[in-house]
């Protein structure tokens, strides 16, 4: 069921990203979060909500970072802020490797050609969640690489991961950290709360009641709803066809997955087609959060097949990816 914008807390991706990107508020809000949770003061920063790293090829996995923050300068730090509310055993089991992948993606794009490895920026990935990811009931878990044989030996590779558990009890942290973690989950304020928290809440209320933010929230909800409905519809049709050979249960599962992908691509085509009227591929990619190459491919298909529907364009995109996947698999078998 759709919640009203006023009911969202700061662990919701949409509100958190809207806060970070809001003109006149985003940068200050970001500075406050980093100051409270990490005890750092940042200089000039660049904030990118929904930073997308697509795979280097069609069969390679990509990553979508909730909020990417980069300090200016060669020695600046990159922060990836990840509010996470999905509490499943599968998610918790995959967290360490998910974080490893995020670090790899960020590192792979942050070192410029010709620079030596000493120029690789420090990367801090921060997860904030209303559950305990590791079962130790700690408020904070800080992860760094170290040498097993010499655990006290300094080994600074610049990679740090921090997990904040808003419900944690164990561990010593400043009182303002405890209050702020509680606020992130509840996102309302009592009269007795401190002035710094009331200031943050005033920022949140400005964003919550902004008409443009409300309109964008409606668009996001409708887009997700459309993807879900298209996925279910395609899933039933494909699942039924596959199910005749593989069994109803397996076929339905496979069909649903394929259908969801079909619905997502079709939705992307619809969005980019509208943007294409006034924007170029790079501008459309920036606004939509999609990869520039992917958006360029949609532009190309729309131009080459002007009479085709969004559904047919989406089918072409999916077909092209499937052919590339099969080619990669074939090459791998030959080698």
């Amino acid at each position: 069921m759709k919640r009203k914008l006023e009911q969202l807390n700061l662990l919701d991706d949409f509100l958190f990203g809207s806060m970070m990107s809001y003109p006149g508020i985003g940068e200050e809000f970001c500075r406050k979060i980093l100051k409270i949770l990490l005890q750092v003061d940042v200089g000039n920063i660049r904030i990118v909500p929904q930073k997308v790293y697509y795979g280097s090829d069609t069969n390679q996995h990509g990553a979508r970072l909730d909020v990417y923050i980069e300090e200016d300068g060669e020695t600046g730090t990159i922060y990836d802020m990840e509010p996470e509310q999905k509490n499943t055993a599968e998610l918790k089991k995959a967290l360490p490797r998910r974080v490893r992948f995020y670090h790899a993606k960020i590192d792979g794009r942050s070192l410029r050609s010709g620079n030596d490895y000493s120029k690789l920026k420090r990367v801090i990935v921060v997860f904030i969640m209303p559950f305990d990811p590791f079962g130790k009931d700690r408020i904070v878990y800080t992860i760094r690489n170290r040498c097993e044989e010499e655990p006290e030996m300094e080994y600074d590779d610049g990679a740090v991961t921090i997990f904040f558990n808003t419900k944690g009890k164990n561990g010593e942290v400043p009182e303002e950290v405890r209050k702020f973690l509680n606020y992130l989950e509840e996102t309302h304020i009592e009269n007795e709360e401190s002035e710094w928290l009331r200031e943050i809440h005033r920022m949140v209320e400005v964003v919550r009641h902004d008409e443009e933010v409300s309109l964008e929230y409606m668009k996001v909800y409708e887009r997700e709803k459309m993807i879900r409905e298209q996925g279910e519809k395609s899933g039933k049709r494909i699942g039924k066809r596959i199910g005749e050979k593989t069994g109803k249960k397996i076929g339905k599962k496979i069909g649903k997955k394929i259908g969801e992908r079909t619905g997502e691509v079709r939705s992307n085509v619809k969005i980019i087609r509208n943007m294409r009227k006034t924007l170029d591929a790079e501008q459309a990619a920036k606004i939509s959060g999609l990869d520039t190459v992917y958006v360029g491919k949609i532009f190309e298909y729309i131009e080459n097949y002007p009479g085709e529907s969004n559904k047919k364009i989406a089918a072409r995109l999916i077909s092209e990816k499937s052919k590339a996947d099969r080619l990669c698999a074939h090459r791998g078998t030959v080698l």
Side-chain angles (χ1 to χ4, degrees), residues 212-228:
E212 291 188 7
V213 176
S214 297
L215 180 60
E216 183 61 27
Y217 180 52
M218 291 176 61
K219 289 180 179 178
V220 169
Y221 174 78
E222 291 301 325
R223 179 174 181 267
E224 291 177 348
K225 180 181 177 182
M226 181 173 65
I227 291 173
R228 185 172 60 253

Side-chain angles (χ1 to χ4, degrees), residues 142-167:
T142 303
I143 313 297
R144 290 186 174 90
N145 289 327
R146 65 179 178 86
C147 175
E148 289 188 2
E149 291 77 14
E150 296 288 344
E152 302 303 320
M153 182 185 79
E154 183 179 354
Y155 184 84
D156 183 11
D157 61 1
V160 181
T161 303
I162 303 173
F163 298 90
F164 285 100
N165 170 19
T166 63
K167 290 182 170 63

Side-chain angles (χ1 to χ4, degrees), residues 114-271:
N115 285 353
D116 61 64
Y117 293 112
S118 65
K119 302 296 184 183
L120 191 62
K121 288 191 172 185
R122 177 177 295 275
V123 176
I124 302 178
V125 176
V126 180
F127 275 82
I128 309 171
M129 47 193 64
F131 59 89
D132 190 338
F134 305 115
K136 303 297 182 182
D137 199 24
R138 298 193 64 86
I139 301 169
V140 58
Y141 299 87
T142 303
I143 313 297
R144 290 186 174 90
N145 289 327
R146 65 179 178 86
C147 175
E148 289 188 2
E149 291 77 14
E150 296 288 344
E152 302 303 320
M153 182 185 79
E154 183 179 354
Y155 184 84
D156 183 11
D157 61 1
V160 181
T161 303
I162 303 173
F163 298 90
F164 285 100
N165 170 19
T166 63
K167 290 182 170 63
K169 299 294 188 297
N170 297 331
E172 297 295 328
V173 297
E175 183 61 25
E176 66 177 8
V177 172
R178 290 180 181 271
K179 287 184 177 181
F180 188 59
L181 290 176
N182 180 69
Y183 176 75
L184 288 172
E185 183 178 1
E186 302 295 337
T187 316
H188 62 75
I189 198 164
E190 304 296 340
N191 293 331
E192 67 271 22
E193 297 290 358
S194 57
E195 177 55 35
W196 63 266
L197 196 51
R198 285 197 292 271
E199 183 179 348
I200 291 175
H201 189 67
R202 284 193 288 269
M203 294 182 185
V204 172
E205 288 298 280
V206 169
V207 176
R208 273 175 166 171
H209 292 89
D210 185 278
E211 290 184 359
E212 291 188 7
V213 176
S214 297
L215 180 60
E216 183 61 27
Y217 180 52
M218 291 176 61
K219 289 180 179 178
V220 169
Y221 174 78
E222 291 301 325
R223 179 174 181 267
E224 291 177 348
K225 180 181 177 182
M226 181 173 65
I227 291 173
R228 185 172 60 253
E229 290 176 348
Q230 289 176 350
E232 290 175 354
K233 183 177 180 181
S234 299
K236 288 179 181 178
R237 184 178 66 254
I238 299 171
K240 182 179 180 181
R241 187 167 66 247
I242 297 175
E244 293 174 355
K245 296 182 178 180
T246 62
K248 186 178 293 184
K249 186 175 181 180
I250 297 175
K252 184 177 180 181
K253 184 176 180 180
I254 297 172
K256 182 179 179 182
K257 185 175 181 180
I258 297 172
E260 287 175 350
R261 175 59 179 158
T262 303
E264 181 180 4
V265 176
R266 184 177 175 183
S267 176
N268 289 339
V269 172
K270 180 179 179 181
I271 291 169

